Amino acid sequence: METDVLGQPYERHTIDLGSDDEGPVVATLVRRRADTPSRRAILYVHGFVDYFFQTHLADFFVERGWDFYALDLRKYGRSLLEHQTPNFCRSLTEYYPELDESARIIREVDGHDQMLVIGHSTGGLTTSLWAHSRQGRGIVDGLFLNSPFFDFNVPWLLRRPLMSVAVGANKRRPYGVMPVAGLGLYGQSIHSDHRGEWTYDLAWKPLLGFPVRYGWLDAIRRGQRKLRSGLAIDAPVLVACSTRTFRGRVWSEDARVTDSVLDVEHIARWAPQLGPRVTIARVDGGLHDLTLSGKDVRAEVFRELGRWVDAFLPPPGAPEISVPPAPEDTAEPEVEAPTA
């Protein structure tokens, strides 16, 4: 570990992932220890056109006694190298090696017994598929999905037949750019140079985003299709999103209190496909990244998250909650009347 760009107490470890068609590949695991030794850990995974900078999220868990880890995936943020196409992949399974290695470091090297995985947006889709593929191994104890990317926020005709045609016609040019609207309104709503309150590196998270390439688009479509067909994640899952989607094309104050990236109804619709233990929380006034919402709204997000963690991920060794028997188990048996 070496000191991270965020400064102490954040450290980072570079994960060597060999090479791909563009050259050497790395991922970056950021760590912040709790004040007292802990055997509970968070693994945070960012979204598209994103990286870890949400230190107030780390504060929340560290203050509750968790060690906090964040993974900048290959070709994102700290892991983006000069020769690489930003944020590009051909399959979401390409991220499994860095997720596996991060989990190994957290559990085997640093000695944690419990791991809660947090995935935002595209990271929510990727970690869902990864958790499903690693079921039965005791790797993921819980999953918190912050506005996960379960479907494209465009009309049905575009996100199904027309997108299929576009991707199919460009199979041989995965790095080709598909013309789509940028993320400018969302960027304006969160960055402190514009209408937001957050400061982050615009080279790693540009206001208008990075180009959407056909290879990445195909990877997302295949991942979403697999999720919508049904997963079997064997850990409890909390899915959280805003109550409203922003539909405008120009700035209005509604962009401060809605999800201006994804359709929140898609998130609520597909969340039950994750597995048998899914909780859905809708947050009025929430932005796309709920933890970057206005002060009062993100306070509600953290209250909801805290309650869910306490209920579904008690500390290892904590006594199980005593559950009273169901009424039918305690009712007096009926006595049949004697027959003549």
Side-chain angles (χ1 to χ4, degrees):
M1 287 282 182
E2 59 183 3
T3 302
D4 184 56
V5 294
L6 294 171
Q8 289 293 340
Y10 292 92
E11 308 167 288
R12 70 179 181 188
H13 168 67
T14 300
I15 300 172
D16 185 352
L17 297 166
S19 297
D20 66 5
D21 61 311
E22 292 189 309
V25 180
V26 300
T28 310
L29 185 65
V30 178
R31 179 179 71 185
R32 178 181 169 188
R33 296 283 202 179
D35 293 335
T36 57
S38 175
R39 300 188 71 82
R40 311 172 80 192
I42 303 297
L43 176 59
Y44 173 85
V45 182
H46 55 80
F48 184 56
V49 190
D50 207 359
Y51 72 102
F52 170 65
F53 64 91
Q54 298 87 342
T55 55
H56 61 295
L57 178 60
D59 292 341
F60 173 79
F61 281 104
V62 167
E63 289 167 4
R64 294 170 67 93
W66 295 71
D67 287 341
F68 187 91
Y69 297 76
L71 178 63
D72 277 13
L73 299 167
R74 63 184 70 195
K75 305 186 182 184
Y76 283 86
R78 298 163 178 82
S79 308
L80 179 61
L81 304 178
E82 289 185 1
H83 60 271
Q84 293 177 328
T85 303
N87 303 183
F88 182 78
C89 74
R90 297 171 186 264
S91 169
L92 296 182
T93 61
E94 291 178 17
Y95 301 125
Y96 290 7
E98 52 255 57
L99 288 165
D100 288 338
E101 178 62 7
S102 297
R104 187 192 70 82
I105 291 171
I106 289 169
R107 287 193 172 274
E108 298 179 16
V109 178
D110 289 352
H112 294 91
D113 300 323
Q114 191 175 50
M115 186 176 73
L116 168 63
V117 177
I118 299 177
H120 168 55
S121 197
T122 308
L125 174 62
T126 302
T127 54
S128 296
L129 297 169
W130 174 70
H132 168 77
S133 70
R134 303 300 187 258
Q135 61 184 289
R137 303 186 191 181
I139 296 175
V140 177
D141 295 297
L143 194 60
F144 168 47
L145 304 180
N146 171 4
S147 304
F149 188 13
F150 290 164
D151 213 338
F152 290 93
N153 182 18
V154 292
W156 178 86
L157 184 65
L158 180 57
R159 72 175 184 267
R160 293 294 186 268
L162 294 183
M163 196 175 293
S164 295
V165 170
V167 170
N170 289 276
K171 280 286 188 181
R172 295 185 179 182
R173 49 188 298 262
Y175 291 99
V177 175
M178 181 173 184
V180 295
L183 301 173
L185 293 180
Y186 177 56
Q188 289 182 45
S189 73
I190 60 176
H191 198 278
S192 58
D193 287 351
H194 298 271
R195 295 179 169 93
E197 61 176 295
W198 307 99
T199 301
Y200 50 84
D201 191 332
L202 290 173
W204 290 346
K205 186 177 174 63
L207 204 65
L208 297 178
F210 290 113
V212 171
R213 301 180 185 275
Y214 288 108
W216 176 87
L217 193 67
D218 186 42
I220 296 296
R221 290 178 64 255
R222 285 184 282 116
Q224 290 176 341
R225 192 160 55 240
K226 182 175 179 63
L227 180 141
R228 293 195 300 267
S229 70
L231 304 181
I233 297 172
D234 58 358
V237 183
L238 171 63
V239 177
C241 64
S242 182
T243 56
R244 291 193 297 145
T245 299
F246 182 74
R247 297 296 183 189
R249 294 178 177 270
V250 296
W251 175 264
S252 84
E253 288 302 300
D254 265 3
R256 297 183 189 274
V257 292
T258 56
D259 189 327
S260 57
V261 178
L262 298 181
D263 186 327
V264 296
E265 299 309 321
H266 292 161
I267 298 172
R269 176 184 180 184
W270 298 115
Q273 297 298 98
L274 293 163
R277 289 181 290 167
V278 178
T279 303
I280 303 174
R282 305 290 294 270
V283 183
D284 190 32
L287 291 175
H288 177 54
D289 184 340
L290 294 170
T291 70
L292 301 183
S293 302
K295 183 178 179 180
D296 292 341
V297 176
R298 65 178 181 266
E300 175 58 28
V301 171
F302 284 125
R303 280 194 294 270
E304 190 70 28
L305 177 57
R307 287 193 292 264
W308 181 83
V309 168
D310 290 344
F312 287 94
L313 278 84
E320 292 190 13
I321 298 174
S322 177
V323 180
E328 60 268 22
D329 294 337
T330 58
E332 293 292 331
E334 293 184 6
V335 179
E336 294 184 8
T339 57

